[in-house]
Amino acid sequence: MAGRPALWLGPLLLLSLGGPSAPASLLRRLGEHIQQFQESQGLSLTLGPGAGALPKQGWLEQPLDPFNTSDQRSFLQRYWVNDQHWASQRGPVFLHLGGEGSLRSGSVMRGHPAALAPAWGALVIGLEHRFYGLSIPAEGLDVAQLRFLSSRHALADVASARRALARLFNVSTASPWICFGGSYAGSLAAWARLKFPHLILASVASSAPVRAVLDFSEYNEVVSRSLTSTAVGGSPECRAAASSAFAEVERRLRAGAAARAALRAELGACSSLGRAEDQAELLGALQALVGGAVQYDAQAGVPLSVRRLCGLLLEDRRNGSRSASYHGLRRAVQVVMRSLGQRCLSFSRAETVAQLRVTDPHVSGVGDRQWLYQTCTEFGFYVTCEDPRCPFSQLPALPSQLELCEQVFGLSTASIARAVSQTNSYYGGQTPGSTHVLFVNGDTDPWHVLSVTQALGPSESALLIPGASHCMDMAPERPSDSPSLRLGRQSILQQLQTWLGPAKESQVSSAG
């Protein structure tokens, strides 16, 4: 994967999210790697003896512009179905919403909502997000097309698909529909209930960043705090070592051409470090690598947990040299690159811009261009480290991240700031005012600070799981799961009981 943008910070199902530059691209690929690993490990366990065939894939014809009835253009939207637990046409439907990446069969076969389906006899359906995966309009990804890519368009698809799928599978009008989603898709799940309460009975929104923000400096505040947490394998010494490692990288970048050439060789970089913009991208990529260890801490398939990262950073501390922690960071880079199958660490700003300008969906990768467009026109989410207390480099700074929107789409900083404000106004930010929504977060996950972590009322619940990382509640159960994670999943089950119990009683009484 050399020559492609390296690290997309943030997320999944792709569990990623994050800003637009090369640092962010690697984290998107890290999230995709974890998802693929979990699916490969969990699919055979999910099917079990006597289970039905593999999940069914289908396609819905959806209007390209649902807000203009005179526009007859359409696209095909992919969905997945798992009906092996569906007890009757009157049973509940669990609708798993896709986010900023391809939605695979695992979305309806492993983790929740699939794990919750047997208890309720539920039909499980996964709906891929427009413009991602295979649900991309035939005309491609030029700017004229991308104006039909937004969370509002995606929610219109949810409403349309909800009606079409109910007819297609002969679902009873009395059947309750519950939305599930993680990360950006978790926000969509919450917003689907907010905007379409007549179609969606309730939603479980995992790691859902419902507050848009231009400068997401809080991300690295959580990363810094988590590196000191003994509960996940961190320590104050680990945070200090991370800070020392970044200081050493910056020292070597300033030390001249020979030092930069040695740094390039030691970090396995794909290209030279002569340009200031590429140096900033490298520092951002290294930040994203550390952020990824926190964001996906302890998940199946993650190459680098907080505990392992801290072990690498502190491995050579006894020799007392200022470069000891730097060598630990080098080893961390090698671990992640090897896990992702990348032969070198890419951070070229020019290559990033060139890749993001490609409008052919078959060339533009895992949705980087599309997600950049959404950050530029709706969400921001640009991770920075400009606070003096941040232990990493203060590069890349916010202006260089915003500049990418101008370079790729011709969008100004003022328009981005305006778009972020409009998103919060339309959805309500962290006080959305919805009912029958359960927000689930882990306190290790940097994205939880943009979600809802305290109940806002009797019908808008929140669950904050100690020590849990990004969307961890949605992953398949493992023997190594912490007691707090197990308790959190039990709380989700109890919340479903609260929502579905009355609906089930109503069905029984009407049937009688």
Side-chain angles (χ1 to χ4, degrees), residues 222-244 290 294 297 305-315 317 325 391-392 444:
V222 178
V223 171
S224 177
R225 184 168 67 245
S226 295
L227 290 179
T228 69
S229 172
T230 56
V232 294
S235 66
E237 293 78 12
C238 176
R239 182 191 180 281
S243 181
S244 175
V290 174
V294 173
D297 179 61
S305 64
V306 171
R307 190 175 304 279
R308 187 175 186 191
L309 172 64
C310 289
L312 292 171
L313 290 173
L314 297 172
E315 188 173 353
R317 59 180 167 174
S325 56
F392 314 119
T444 299

Side-chain angles (χ1 to χ4, degrees), residues 401-422:
Q401 301 196 50
L402 296 173
E403 185 183 40
L404 205 55
C405 296
E406 168 67 35
Q407 291 175 314
V408 178
F409 300 116
L411 297 170
S412 67
T413 296
S415 73
I416 305 166
R418 191 162 53 247
V420 167
S421 178
Q422 289 171 347

Side-chain angles (χ1 to χ4, degrees), residues 260-346:
R260 288 194 296 269
L263 184 68
R264 173 189 175 184
E266 290 171 353
L267 292 179
C270 297
S271 51
S272 69
L273 290 163
R275 296 186 178 89
E277 61 183 16
D278 293 340
Q279 295 174 21
E281 292 286 282
L282 169 66
L283 289 163
L286 294 175
Q287 284 184 49
L289 182 142
V290 174
V294 173
Q295 180 170 315
Y296 301 123
D297 179 61
Q299 296 195 28
V302 66
L304 204 63
S305 64
V306 171
R307 190 175 304 279
R308 187 175 186 191
L309 172 64
C310 289
L312 292 171
L313 290 173
L314 297 172
E315 188 173 353
D316 295 334
R317 59 180 167 174
R318 291 179 182 175
N319 68 24
S321 74
R322 66 181 180 183
S323 61
S325 56
Y326 161 74
H327 291 300
L329 184 61
R330 275 184 58 198
R331 289 190 290 271
V333 170
Q334 292 165 2
V335 167
V336 172
M337 291 297 98
R338 190 162 52 245
S339 177
L340 297 181
Q342 294 188 217
R343 66 175 182 83
C344 56
L345 181 64
S346 174

